[in-house]
Amino acid sequence: MKTIIAACSQNLSGNRASVQTALRTLLAAPWPSQRDVRSWLQLLSVLQWVLSFLLLGTVSLLLLIYLVFTSFWPISALYLAWIIFDWDTPEKGGRRLPCLRRWPVWRHFRDYFPVKLVKTHDLSPNHNYIIGSHPHGILCVGAFCNFITGSTGFGEMFPGIQPFLTTLAGNFRLPIFREYLMSGGLCPVTRRAIGYLLSKNGTGNAVAIVIGGAAESLSCRPGVTTLILKNRKGFVRMALQHGAYLVPSFSFGENDLFRQVVFEEGSWMRSIQQRFQKMMGFAPCVFYGRGLTSVRSRGFLPYARPITTVVGEPVAVPKIEDPSCEMVDMYHEMYVRSLLKLFNENKTKYGLSETDELQIL
């Protein structure tokens, strides 16, 4: 553009040759390649996802509080009335929007890492399922991409199966954010919500639960394959009460997306994290990833590391309304064995060595 202006200023009569030369110079400048455009689209798709999960609920709440003190207060009043009217919807299957699952941005999100879903066994639509998702990682990227978005082909791999993903119940009390979560198929990780999906929503429902939860996220770091599972048996009891089959899944690469400052057990910082986790339901992890402008800079975006989620063989579970502790323990052991088998058969295929072992605490 500067070249064109200069050419015109040197010859006010508008020398056609000078203008043509300037245009050729401008058009000869390097344009972004398709690869560059794809990279930026992938980066932006991950950015919007991270910002949505970290800020959407808080910003929406603060905005509605601010509107109360302005002439737009009816907006806050109407939305409060809507939340009161719609309070129980998250506990009753939510309000999913299939168009959101097909949103093209999720394909760019998938390709950023990339995320891949691997099927090892069929899931019959005549049953309901509880899918144990491991490990938790920092932000559960693998679980979200595979079970909430349609970008990795869950619907094509498991026809007739409708996936749901559970998250903290407190998230569904935040304005706007609750609508965003429900539209994708997320539901509260409560007995009532899970029980509804497994007993009052027909068959073909698969409820994914990140078993390790916040406690597991505190130990998340690259190369670590430790799960908090030994004393997590509530999901097995629910499976028995509703006759839902148990399905293990493992996301290889989930722990490689961020770097975390892990505080040793017994340290005062670890104590603060654990107390916060008990009060609020989630743990305040001290982590970092890559920055927006460069892979070498530090920021809150995940590193581009491949994630492969392998869905294992379902464990058939009978329906027992009041299962005994012995029965729960037996099916918990069966689930753990199935998970260990899944891990050992696939670890060398997806970035781990033959000597890596899955530790269950």
Side-chain angles (χ1 to χ4, degrees):
M1 188 61 70
K2 290 181 179 179
T3 308
I4 296 174
I5 295 172
C8 290
S9 63
Q10 289 175 6
N11 190 347
L12 296 177
S13 61
N15 187 298
R16 181 178 297 179
S18 299
V19 173
Q20 289 177 343
T21 302
L23 285 173
R24 281 196 295 267
T25 303
L26 180 64
L27 293 174
W31 288 82
S33 64
Q34 279 191 327
R35 182 176 180 180
D36 292 334
V37 172
R38 283 197 301 269
S39 296
W40 273 104
L41 288 174
Q42 291 167 10
L43 193 63
L44 291 175
S45 68
V46 174
L47 176 64
Q48 66 82 26
W49 178 78
V50 172
L51 291 179
S52 296
F53 269 82
L54 295 182
L55 298 177
L56 181 58
T58 303
V59 171
S60 299
L61 179 61
L62 293 175
L63 177 60
L64 288 176
I65 293 174
Y66 168 76
L67 292 179
V68 170
F69 302 98
T70 69
S71 58
F72 296 100
W73 64 266
I75 295 177
S76 298
L78 288 172
Y79 190 78
L80 177 60
W82 164 252
I83 286 185
I84 294 173
F85 173 78
D86 197 53
W87 189 261
D88 288 335
T89 299
E91 304 275 355
K92 296 180 178 180
R95 189 170 42 249
R96 65 193 297 151
L97 297 176
C99 61
L100 186 68
R101 290 176 56 84
R102 297 192 297 267
W103 199 18
V105 73
W106 299 131
R107 295 197 296 270
H108 299 298
F109 180 87
R110 172 200 65 196
D111 294 338
Y112 170 83
F113 298 96
V115 182
K116 181 182 178 183
L117 181 65
V118 175
K119 168 186 171 181
T120 61
H121 292 79
D122 291 329
L123 298 182
S124 170
N126 298 321
H127 300 287
N128 286 324
Y129 303 89
I130 290 180
I131 300 178
S133 179
H134 310 275
H136 183 285
I138 296 293
L139 294 179
C140 304
V141 172
F144 177 86
C145 191
N146 288 298
F147 302 130
I148 294 302
T149 80
S151 61
T152 56
F154 185 96
E156 292 74 23
M157 291 185 190
F158 302 102
I161 303 298
Q162 185 169 229
F164 297 84
L165 178 63
T166 58
T167 185
L168 293 175
N171 289 329
F172 295 88
R173 306 308 176 216
L174 294 172
I176 308 301
F177 190 44
R178 69 190 294 275
E179 322 298 340
Y180 177 76
L181 294 177
M182 284 192 291
S183 64
L186 283 105
C187 63
V189 60
T190 62
R191 290 184 178 276
R192 183 185 176 192
I194 297 172
Y196 180 92
L197 293 172
L198 297 179
S199 62
K200 299 180 181 180
N201 202 43
T203 59
N205 300 294
V207 183
I209 304 175
V210 186
I211 309 296
E216 194 171 275
S217 67
L218 292 176
S219 301
C220 165
R221 60 183 184 271
V224 173
T225 51
T226 301
L227 304 182
I228 306 295
L229 179 59
K230 188 174 292 185
N231 296 317
R232 301 291 176 100
K233 300 179 181 179
F235 73 102
V236 178
R237 182 175 295 277
M238 288 204 69
L240 285 164
Q241 290 173 340
H242 299 284
Y245 288 15
L246 291 168
V247 182
S249 72
F250 195 93
S251 293
F252 294 91
E254 182 72 45
N255 286 346
D256 299 333
L257 304 182
F258 294 96
R259 303 292 183 266
Q260 181 179 190
V261 180
V262 178
F263 300 100
E264 297 297 328
E265 289 288 345
S267 65
W268 65 274
M269 276 299 297
R270 187 63 169 233
S271 299
I272 291 175
Q273 288 177 314
Q274 291 172 340
R275 289 178 183 177
F276 192 93
Q277 172 201 331
K278 290 179 180 179
M279 290 188 297
M280 304 300 294
F282 65 94
C285 301
V286 181
F287 67 91
Y288 66 89
R290 61 156 292 179
L292 182 62
T293 57
S294 171
V295 178
R296 298 179 183 86
S297 61
R298 291 189 180 183
F300 53 87
L301 295 178
Y303 291 107
R305 302 287 186 271
I307 304 171
T308 304
T309 300
V310 184
V311 179
E313 181 178 6
V315 177
V317 176
K319 184 176 181 179
I320 305 174
E321 291 187 5
D322 188 20
S324 64
C325 293
E326 291 76 13
M327 185 69 68
V328 172
D329 289 342
M330 182 181 75
Y331 279 94
H332 185 271
E333 290 177 6
M334 292 172 64
Y335 175 83
V336 171
R337 286 198 300 269
S338 182
L339 175 62
L340 288 171
K341 178 184 177 184
L342 173 72
F343 177 83
N344 290 325
E345 288 180 350
N346 292 278
K347 60 184 180 181
T348 56
K349 300 177 185 177
Y350 305 115
L352 298 178
S353 66
E354 190 65 45
T355 57
D356 285 321
E357 295 184 357
L358 188 62
Q359 299 180 5
I360 296 179
L361 303 179

